[in-house]
Coordinates of all heavy atoms in Angstrom, one line a residue:
T1 N -7.8 1.7 -19.0 CA -6.5 1.9 -18.3 C -6.5 3.2 -17.6 O -7.3 4.1 -17.9 CB -5.3 1.8 -19.3 OG1 -5.4 2.9 -20.1 CG2 -5.3 0.5 -20.0
V2 N -5.7 3.3 -16.5 CA -5.6 4.5 -15.8 C -4.1 5.0 -15.8 O -3.8 5.9 -15.0 CB -6.0 4.2 -14.3 CG1 -7.5 3.9 -14.2 CG2 -5.2 3.1 -13.6
G3 N -3.3 4.5 -16.7 CA -2.0 5.0 -16.8 C -1.0 4.1 -16.2 O -1.2 2.9 -15.9
C4 N 0.3 4.6 -16.0 CA 1.4 3.9 -15.5 C 1.7 4.3 -14.1 O 1.3 5.4 -13.6 CB 2.6 4.0 -16.3 SG 2.4 3.4 -18.0
F5 N 2.4 3.5 -13.3 CA 2.8 3.9 -12.0 C 3.9 5.0 -12.0 O 4.7 5.1 -13.0 CB 3.4 2.7 -11.2 CG 2.4 1.6 -11.0 CD1 2.5 0.4 -11.7 CD2 1.4 1.8 -10.0 CE1 1.5 -0.6 -11.4 CE2 0.5 0.8 -9.7 CZ 0.6 -0.4 -10.5
L6 N 3.9 5.9 -11.0 CA 4.9 6.9 -10.9 C 6.2 6.3 -10.6 O 6.3 5.2 -10.0 CB 4.4 8.0 -9.9 CG 3.2 8.8 -10.2 CD1 2.8 9.6 -9.0 CD2 3.4 9.7 -11.4
P7 N 7.3 7.0 -10.8 CA 8.6 6.5 -10.4 C 8.6 6.3 -8.9 O 8.0 7.0 -8.1 CB 9.6 7.7 -10.7 CG 8.9 8.4 -11.8 CD 7.4 8.3 -11.5
E8 N 9.4 5.3 -8.4 CA 9.5 4.9 -7.0 C 8.3 4.3 -6.4 O 8.3 4.0 -5.2 CB 10.0 6.1 -6.2 CG 11.3 6.7 -6.6 CD 11.9 7.7 -5.6 OE1 11.7 7.5 -4.4 OE2 12.4 8.7 -6.0
V9 N 7.3 4.0 -7.2 CA 6.1 3.3 -6.7 C 6.3 1.8 -7.0 O 6.5 1.4 -8.2 CB 4.8 3.7 -7.3 CG1 3.6 2.9 -6.9 CG2 4.5 5.2 -7.0
E10 N 6.4 1.0 -5.9 CA 6.5 -0.5 -6.1 C 5.1 -1.0 -6.1 O 4.2 -0.5 -5.3 CB 7.3 -1.1 -5.0 CG 8.7 -0.6 -4.9 CD 9.4 -1.3 -3.7 OE1 9.5 -2.5 -3.6 OE2 9.8 -0.5 -2.8
Y11 N 4.8 -2.1 -6.8 CA 3.5 -2.7 -6.8 C 3.7 -4.2 -6.8 O 4.6 -4.8 -7.2 CB 2.6 -2.3 -7.9 CG 3.0 -2.9 -9.3 CD1 2.3 -4.1 -9.7 CD2 4.0 -2.3 -10.1 CE1 2.6 -4.6 -10.9 CE2 4.3 -2.9 -11.3 CZ 3.6 -4.1 -11.7 OH 3.9 -4.6 -12.9
R12 N 2.7 -4.9 -6.2 CA 2.5 -6.3 -6.2 C 1.1 -6.6 -6.5 O 0.2 -5.9 -6.0 CB 2.9 -7.0 -4.9 CG 4.3 -6.7 -4.4 CD 5.3 -7.5 -5.2 NE 6.7 -7.3 -4.7 CZ 7.5 -6.3 -5.0 NH1 7.1 -5.4 -5.8 NH2 8.7 -6.3 -4.5
L13 N 0.8 -7.7 -7.3 CA -0.5 -8.1 -7.5 C -0.7 -9.5 -6.8 O 0.1 -10.4 -7.1 CB -0.8 -8.3 -9.0 CG -0.7 -7.0 -9.9 CD1 -1.0 -7.3 -11.3 CD2 -1.5 -5.9 -9.3
V14 N -1.6 -9.6 -5.9 CA -1.9 -10.8 -5.2 C -3.1 -11.5 -5.8 O -4.2 -10.9 -6.0 CB -2.2 -10.5 -3.7 CG1 -2.6 -11.7 -2.9 CG2 -1.0 -9.8 -3.1
P15 N -2.9 -12.7 -6.2 CA -4.0 -13.5 -6.9 C -5.3 -13.6 -6.0 O -5.2 -13.6 -4.8 CB -3.4 -14.9 -7.1 CG -2.0 -14.7 -7.0 CD -1.7 -13.6 -6.1
V16 N -6.4 -13.6 -6.7 CA -7.7 -13.8 -6.0 C -8.3 -15.0 -6.5 O -8.4 -15.2 -7.8 CB -8.6 -12.6 -6.3 CG1 -10.0 -12.8 -5.7 CG2 -8.0 -11.3 -5.9
E17 N -8.8 -15.9 -5.6 CA -9.4 -17.1 -6.0 C -10.6 -16.9 -6.9 O -11.5 -16.0 -6.5 CB -9.8 -17.9 -4.8 CG -10.3 -19.3 -5.1 CD -10.6 -20.1 -3.8 OE1 -10.1 -19.8 -2.8 OE2 -11.5 -21.0 -3.9
G18 N -10.7 -17.5 -8.0 CA -11.9 -17.3 -8.9 C -11.7 -16.3 -9.9 O -12.5 -16.1 -10.8
I19 N -10.7 -15.5 -9.8 CA -10.4 -14.4 -10.8 C -9.1 -14.8 -11.6 O -8.1 -15.0 -11.0 CB -10.2 -13.0 -10.2 CG1 -11.5 -12.6 -9.5 CG2 -9.8 -12.0 -11.2 CD1 -11.5 -11.3 -8.7
T20 N -9.3 -15.0 -12.9 CA -8.1 -15.5 -13.7 C -7.2 -14.4 -14.2 O -6.0 -14.7 -14.4 CB -8.6 -16.3 -14.9 OG1 -9.5 -15.5 -15.7 CG2 -9.4 -17.5 -14.4
E21 N -7.6 -13.2 -14.3 CA -6.8 -12.1 -14.8 C -6.5 -11.1 -13.7 O -7.4 -10.7 -13.0 CB -7.5 -11.4 -16.0 CG -6.7 -10.3 -16.6 CD -7.4 -9.6 -17.7 OE1 -8.5 -10.0 -18.1 OE2 -6.8 -8.6 -18.2
G22 N -5.3 -10.7 -13.6 CA -4.9 -9.7 -12.7 C -4.8 -10.2 -11.2 O -4.8 -11.4 -10.9
G23 N -4.9 -9.2 -10.3 CA -4.9 -9.5 -8.9 C -5.1 -8.2 -8.1 O -5.3 -7.2 -8.6
V24 N -5.1 -8.4 -6.8 CA -5.4 -7.3 -5.9 C -4.1 -6.4 -5.8 O -3.0 -6.9 -5.6 CB -5.8 -7.7 -4.5 CG1 -6.0 -6.5 -3.6 CG2 -7.0 -8.5 -4.5
L25 N -4.3 -5.1 -6.0 CA -3.1 -4.2 -6.0 C -2.6 -3.8 -4.6 O -3.4 -3.4 -3.8 CB -3.5 -2.9 -6.8 CG -2.5 -1.9 -6.9 CD1 -1.2 -2.4 -7.7 CD2 -3.1 -0.6 -7.6
H26 N -1.4 -4.0 -4.4 CA -0.7 -3.6 -3.2 C 0.4 -2.6 -3.6 O 1.1 -2.9 -4.6 CB -0.1 -4.7 -2.4 CG -1.1 -5.7 -1.9 ND1 -1.3 -5.8 -0.5 CD2 -1.9 -6.5 -2.5 CE1 -2.2 -6.7 -0.3 NE2 -2.6 -7.2 -1.5
L27 N 0.5 -1.4 -2.9 CA 1.5 -0.4 -3.3 C 2.4 -0.1 -2.1 O 2.0 -0.2 -0.9 CB 0.8 0.9 -3.7 CG -0.1 0.9 -4.9 CD1 -0.7 2.2 -5.1 CD2 0.7 0.5 -6.1
K28 N 3.6 0.3 -2.4 CA 4.6 0.8 -1.5 C 5.4 1.9 -2.2 O 5.8 1.8 -3.3 CB 5.5 -0.3 -1.0 CG 6.5 0.1 0.1 CD 7.3 -1.2 0.5 CE 8.1 -0.9 1.7 NZ 8.9 -2.1 2.1
S29 N 5.5 3.1 -1.5 CA 6.2 4.2 -2.1 C 6.6 5.2 -1.0 O 5.8 5.3 0.0 CB 5.3 4.9 -3.1 OG 5.8 6.1 -3.6
P30 N 7.6 5.9 -1.2 CA 8.0 7.0 -0.2 C 7.0 8.1 -0.1 O 7.0 8.8 0.9 CB 9.4 7.5 -0.7 CG 9.5 7.0 -2.1 CD 8.6 5.8 -2.3
N31 N 6.1 8.3 -1.1 CA 5.2 9.4 -1.1 C 3.8 8.9 -0.6 O 2.8 9.7 -0.6 CB 5.0 10.0 -2.4 CG 4.5 9.1 -3.5 OD1 4.5 7.9 -3.3 ND2 4.0 9.7 -4.6
L32 N 3.6 7.7 -0.1 CA 2.4 7.2 0.5 C 2.4 7.4 2.0 O 3.5 7.3 2.6 CB 2.1 5.8 0.2 CG 1.7 5.5 -1.2 CD1 1.6 4.0 -1.5 CD2 0.4 6.1 -1.6
M33 N 1.3 7.6 2.7 CA 1.3 7.7 4.1 C 1.9 6.5 4.8 O 1.9 5.4 4.3 CB -0.1 8.0 4.6 CG -1.0 6.8 4.5 SD -2.6 7.3 5.1 CE -3.4 5.7 5.3
T34 N 2.4 6.7 6.0 CA 3.0 5.7 6.8 C 2.1 4.9 7.7 O 2.4 3.9 8.2 CB 4.2 6.2 7.6 OG1 3.8 7.2 8.5 CG2 5.3 6.7 6.7
G35 N 0.9 5.5 8.0 CA 0.0 4.8 8.9 C -1.2 5.6 9.2 O -1.5 6.6 8.6
Y36 N -2.0 5.1 10.2 CA -3.2 5.7 10.6 C -3.2 6.0 12.1 O -2.6 5.3 12.9 CB -4.4 4.7 10.4 CG -4.6 4.3 9.0 CD1 -4.0 3.2 8.4 CD2 -5.5 5.0 8.2 CE1 -4.2 2.8 7.1 CE2 -5.7 4.6 6.9 CZ -5.1 3.5 6.4 OH -5.3 3.1 5.1
F37 N -4.0 7.0 12.5 CA -4.3 7.2 13.9 C -5.7 6.7 14.1 O -6.6 7.0 13.4 CB -4.2 8.7 14.3 CG -2.8 9.2 14.3 CD1 -2.3 10.1 13.3 CD2 -1.9 8.9 15.4 CE1 -1.0 10.5 13.4 CE2 -0.6 9.4 15.4 CZ -0.2 10.2 14.4
V38 N -5.9 5.9 15.2 CA -7.2 5.3 15.5 C -7.7 5.8 16.8 O -6.9 6.1 17.8 CB -7.2 3.8 15.4 CG1 -7.0 3.3 14.0 CG2 -6.1 3.2 16.3
S39 N -9.0 5.9 17.0 CA -9.5 6.6 18.2 C -9.3 5.8 19.5 O -9.2 6.4 20.6 CB -11.0 6.8 18.0 OG -11.7 5.5 17.8
D40 N -9.2 4.5 19.4 CA -9.0 3.7 20.6 C -7.5 3.7 21.1 O -7.2 3.2 22.2 CB -9.5 2.3 20.5 CG -8.8 1.5 19.5 OD1 -8.1 2.1 18.6 OD2 -9.0 0.2 19.5
Q41 N -6.6 4.3 20.3 CA -5.2 4.4 20.7 C -4.7 5.8 20.4 O -3.8 5.9 19.5 CB -4.3 3.3 20.1 CG -4.7 1.9 20.5 CD -3.9 0.8 19.8 OE1 -3.4 1.0 18.7 NE2 -3.9 -0.3 20.4
P42 N -5.2 6.8 21.0 CA -4.8 8.2 20.6 C -3.3 8.4 20.7 O -2.6 8.0 21.6 CB -5.6 9.1 21.7 CG -6.1 8.2 22.7 CD -6.0 6.8 22.2
G43 N -2.8 9.1 19.7 CA -1.4 9.5 19.7 C -0.4 8.4 19.2 O 0.8 8.7 19.1
Q44 N -0.9 7.2 19.0 CA -0.1 6.1 18.5 C -0.4 5.9 17.0 O -1.5 5.5 16.6 CB -0.4 4.9 19.3 CG 0.1 5.0 20.7 CD -0.2 3.7 21.5 OE1 -0.9 2.8 21.0 NE2 0.5 3.5 22.6
L45 N 0.7 6.1 16.2 CA 0.6 5.8 14.8 C 0.5 4.3 14.5 O 1.5 3.6 15.0 CB 1.7 6.4 14.0 CG 1.7 6.3 12.5 CD1 0.5 7.1 11.9 CD2 3.0 6.8 11.9
Q46 N -0.5 3.8 13.9 CA -0.6 2.4 13.5 C 0.0 2.3 12.1 O -0.6 2.7 11.1 CB -2.0 2.0 13.5 CG -2.7 2.2 14.8 CD -2.1 1.4 15.9 OE1 -1.8 0.2 15.8 NE2 -1.8 2.1 17.0

């Protein structure tokens, strides 16, 4: 185990075909980054 989620961290587990236990972790929280800058669109936050 790696511990518990911090306060205000929402999580969802998305099932994976062929895997019976758990799922792929998706997180949402006010302390996570909001996006990425990519080289082909300079200055635009994705």
